[in-house]
Amino acid sequence: MKLLITGATGLVGDAVLRLSLQRPDILSIVSLGRRMTGLSSPKLTEVAVEDFLNLAPARPHLAGVDICIHCLAAYRGRVGGHAYQQITIGYLDALIREMEIASPEMAFCYFSAEGARRDGRSWVPALNVKGRAERRVSDARFPRKYFFRPGYIRPSRPRANPVFYDPLMTPVFRLVPTIGIESSDLARAMIETGLNDPRPEAILGNREMRALCS
């Protein structure tokens, strides 16, 4: 089984990569990112990407992928509107176009967000952008496509870039865990779904993802 991960230096991508490295059923891992993860394994190949709108230099590594877990994302509060759309939709579109040629039979797992609206009717602009990204994945020619919509993601490991709301949300999460999911559990749900879910398309919220990890 060959796995492709994007955004492996982020909170969710890091959890996906670490868990994948431990699994004997995943034999080969390709990580696309601007920075190296600092992890090492005989089955891990890291590919530095200078421009995610042009993945031509990564093509030698994209064939034969069985599952792609796309974790490359940005916090809207840290980037401008144009940059957020380019990262969320532009980079995604470039990846899909490459993978439809290189590995058209793979499963695609997309890291979305709770409240994403494909109809563009959310009062939160970022959730409408996520919805447009989901539509792009849904329109792709891959035989299996999965959308993961977590609420609050509680870090299982310290974040590389801390966010201000963790100290506020952590005690709330302990009291009401249904509002979100641990980053390690989200990673496990993505991997298990990509490996074993036979459905052609599915949206998984907090409850469905947590059930996969119980």
Side-chain angles (χ1 to χ4, degrees):
M1 188 68 66
K2 182 177 180 178
L3 172 67
L4 173 69
I5 304 173
T6 66
T9 56
L11 174 67
V12 178
D14 174 75
V16 170
L17 177 55
R18 289 176 184 275
L19 185 57
S20 300
L21 288 171
Q22 298 172 13
R23 295 189 60 125
D25 52 352
I26 297 177
L27 304 178
S28 175
I29 303 168
V30 175
S31 172
L32 301 184
R34 286 181 173 172
R35 294 179 288 117
M36 298 295 99
T37 65
L39 300 177
S40 178
S41 169
K43 65 181 181 180
L44 173 62
T45 300
E46 297 201 67
V47 181
V49 177
E50 294 184 4
D51 180 5
F52 271 93
L53 295 176
N54 175 23
L55 294 175
R59 283 175 185 164
H61 306 281
L62 303 182
V65 171
D66 299 290
I67 308 168
C68 174
I69 301 184
H70 182 58
C71 297
L72 182 64
Y75 289 106
R76 177 60 183 86
R78 289 180 173 170
V79 299
H82 175 74
Y84 184 77
Q85 292 198 48
Q86 178 167 277
I87 294 168
T88 306
I89 298 175
Y91 292 178
L92 172 67
D93 180 68
L95 176 65
I96 288 174
R97 285 188 278 109
E98 289 290 341
M99 299 312 296
E100 283 182 328
I101 297 170
S103 297
E105 297 303 314
M106 73 178 192
F108 197 101
C109 296
Y110 178 64
F111 171 39
S112 187
E114 186 177 52
R117 292 289 298 264
R118 298 186 187 187
D119 60 8
R121 293 182 179 179
S122 174
W123 62 274
V124 181
L127 295 178
N128 292 325
V129 175
K130 281 288 190 180
R132 287 171 54 196
E134 285 192 5
R135 291 204 312 269
R136 177 64 182 94
V137 175
S138 186
D139 290 341
R141 296 194 295 271
F142 307 121
R144 295 189 296 133
K145 292 159 280 192
Y146 306 107
F147 305 88
F148 299 83
R149 293 181 176 179
Y152 172 64
I153 304 172
R154 183 178 184 274
S156 302
R157 294 171 51 85
R159 294 182 191 265
N161 298 299
V163 294
F164 73 91
Y165 52 78
D166 274 339
L168 302 174
M169 292 300 298
T170 296
V172 177
F173 180 81
R174 290 196 187 103
L175 291 172
V176 191
T178 54
I179 65 170
I181 189 169
E182 294 263 359
S183 59
S184 58
D185 286 342
L186 172 55
R188 185 172 293 106
M190 288 177 138
I191 294 169
E192 291 294 342
T193 301
L195 285 171
N196 301 313
D197 197 320
R199 292 175 292 178
E201 186 166 328
I203 296 173
L204 294 87
N206 295 320
R207 183 176 62 180
E208 294 84 358
M209 291 185 289
R210 289 166 65 89
L212 285 171
C213 302
S214 60

